[in-house]
Amino acid sequence: MLKSFAVENFKGFSGRQEIELAPLTLFFGQNSSGKSTLLRVLPWLAESMLDKRPGPCLDGEVAREATWDDLVNTQASSAPVHLGLQFESGASVQWSIRGGRILGTCEIAKITCSTKDGSATLSDDGDHVWQGSEGPVDARLEGMLPQGKSPESLPAPFAILQKELEIVRVQWVTGVRAPVGRVVGVGGTPPFTLDSDGHNAARHLYFWDRLGLRDRRRTALADFFSRMNCEVTTEDVSQRGGWFRVILKPLVGTGLPVNVVDTGEGFTQVLPALVALGRAEANIGPNIVAVEQPELHLHTNAQRALAETLVAAVERGGVQVLAETHSEVLLASIQLAVAKGQLPHESVIIYWVSVRSDGSSVASVSYTHLTLPTS
């Protein structure tokens, strides 16, 4: 798991913010305070590392056609942006990013990586030639890291860090998810990834059912709906197949199965987040899940059930969850679970994100001994 990440001079955060990560990390605060900025750091870095173009990815799904001016804090627009990751192993990496030669672009100016065996720094003064402590380094930048033409081209800490970063995979679930169709097309093959807006979440359920992989969703997905006294499943709409619908079946009483689209927006909006957690727990998807407003459109009873589901998923292990939320019910339910001993207090960190009088954002730990965040 990741131990922490850091940002400095990044968007609304002028000062350095060290965000320690627990198995369950929550960001709470008012609108436009910087919660989403922090939540999207890991998805953005993961996306940038997968993109082989040099430097941070600005035109991808997370950055959404951002420019350098959208990234850098307005109070110090000529200074570099700093980003960092620290791993449980003790290894860490720090990037220094500056505006690029072409207006609106950006590029990596310096990378420092540290391991238990030492540290090394590579820098580029703008000529696209990487310099180490002993002179130029024969390397090219791919994504967020330099790649040497041979294993000996780069300082040893970079090779160790490369292995650490290879396992950083993040599933981002956006704040407004795609609606589930009344009927959904099966498609030709099982989905390989989960769309960030959950557009193909229902197809994951379909193939889990048809391929006998129901155990892969006997985790967060089944847990949440069982707490709501129902079961989610899929059924074909014709003998020939090709189309299916998502059905909720009551676990108790005499109620009839109902199409999930007829239950309101809450269940359809929470479905992608639960599929993401299920994929992580089953080790078929990224184990870091970053969810914006997981409680969207849910009744307070369902928000409590979701909190209990998150607690149970973290308790089972194998998943690291980051969520930004406006729900005091969600926070209080998680705190209550800790107070009852259902989850160790060190497994949860809650940050209160606020805006100072000078306009800069700051994130402070507001949860240590079961105290609700206050402004």
Side-chain angles (χ1 to χ4, degrees):
M1 290 187 177
L2 285 175
K3 183 178 181 180
S4 66
F5 70 85
V7 298
E8 183 179 354
N9 200 35
F10 182 61
K11 297 192 176 185
F13 296 92
S14 57
R16 185 173 179 84
Q17 303 291 307
E18 293 276 357
I19 305 299
E20 183 182 353
L21 299 175
L24 177 57
T25 305
L26 300 168
F27 301 105
F28 184 78
Q30 298 178 3
N31 287 31
S32 195
S33 59
K35 302 185 304 300
S36 297
T37 293
L38 294 177
L39 186 94
R40 295 174 186 176
V41 168
L42 295 184
W44 181 47
L45 286 176
E47 182 179 63
S48 297
M49 284 186 280
L50 288 174
D51 192 322
K52 297 305 181 183
R53 294 172 298 175
C57 176
L58 298 186
D59 59 355
E61 191 175 34
V62 184
R64 300 177 178 180
E65 304 293 340
T67 66
W68 168 247
D69 289 339
D70 297 317
L71 300 181
V72 68
N73 185 269
T74 56
Q75 298 179 11
S77 58
S78 61
V81 167
H82 299 289
L83 302 170
L85 294 176
Q86 184 172 7
F87 300 86
E88 289 287 354
S89 65
S92 65
V93 57
Q94 305 285 330
W95 291 277
S96 219
I97 303 170
R98 62 175 173 236
R101 291 177 296 174
I102 301 174
L103 185 65
T105 64
C106 66
E107 58 189 15
I108 296 177
K110 184 169 67 173
I111 308 172
T112 299
C113 65
S114 301
T115 69
K116 62 181 180 180
D117 297 322
S119 63
T121 297
L122 294 178
S123 60
D124 174 8
D125 61 8
D127 59 2
H128 292 184
V129 175
W130 289 98
Q131 300 281 340
S133 59
E134 299 180 0
V137 174
D138 188 9
R140 68 184 187 282
L141 193 64
E142 287 187 3
M144 299 294 287
L145 284 179
Q147 302 294 323
K149 293 186 177 180
S150 66
E152 297 77 22
S153 300
L154 296 176
F158 279 87
I160 297 174
L161 184 69
Q162 180 72 46
K163 295 180 180 179
E164 293 274 12
L165 289 173
E166 284 176 355
I167 64 172
V168 177
R169 296 292 181 265
V170 184
Q171 176 64 62
W172 177 44
V173 182
T174 59
V176 178
R177 274 76 82 178
V180 177
R182 182 168 295 278
V183 293
V184 183
V186 173
T189 58
F192 181 65
T193 60
L194 176 66
D195 297 339
S196 62
D197 66 354
H199 182 77
N200 63 347
R203 293 186 61 237
H204 281 275
L205 301 186
Y206 181 88
F207 282 100
W208 287 351
D209 283 346
R210 299 309 180 278
L211 297 178
L213 304 178
R214 291 183 64 85
D215 286 346
R216 287 188 173 179
R217 60 189 183 91
R218 290 296 180 192
T219 48
L221 184 76
D223 185 9
F224 171 79
F225 283 105
S226 67
R227 294 177 191 275
M228 301 304 298
N229 295 315
C230 58
E231 176 189 20
V232 63
T233 187
T234 60
E235 66 177 27
D236 292 297
V237 298
S238 69
Q239 292 290 340
R240 297 180 61 184
W243 295 89
F244 69 95
R245 50 188 163 224
V246 181
I247 299 295
L248 285 185
K249 296 181 178 180
L251 294 177
V252 295
T254 59
L256 297 175
V258 61
N259 194 311
V260 71
V261 302
D262 293 322
T263 65
E265 296 298 324
F267 284 164
T268 63
Q269 288 291 293
V270 78
L271 192 64
L274 297 172
V275 170
L277 287 172
R279 281 167 46 81
E281 290 191 87
N283 201 30
I284 56 175
N287 72 310
I288 302 175
V289 179
V291 188
E292 299 181 15
Q293 300 184 59
E295 77 286 349
L296 196 65
H297 292 295
L298 289 178
H299 182 270
T300 51
N301 287 340
Q303 291 181 34
R304 285 193 289 269
L306 178 59
E308 293 166 357
T309 300
L310 291 173
V311 167
V314 168
E315 187 178 21
R316 287 189 292 267
V319 59
Q320 194 167 18
V321 182
L322 291 78
E324 62 106 343
T325 179
H326 294 143
S327 172
E328 294 183 2
V329 172
L330 188 77
L331 294 186
S333 299
I334 291 172
Q335 292 171 336
L336 182 60
V338 175
K340 290 180 176 180
Q342 297 170 351
L343 192 68
H345 70 85
E346 61 268 18
S347 294
V348 183
I349 297 178
I350 299 177
Y351 286 91
W352 173 251
V353 187
S354 58
V355 180
R356 293 172 169 167
S357 58
D358 64 359
S360 63
S361 296
V362 62
S364 56
V365 176
S366 60
Y367 174 74
T368 53
H369 299 290
L370 304 178
T371 56
L372 282 170
T374 62
S375 57

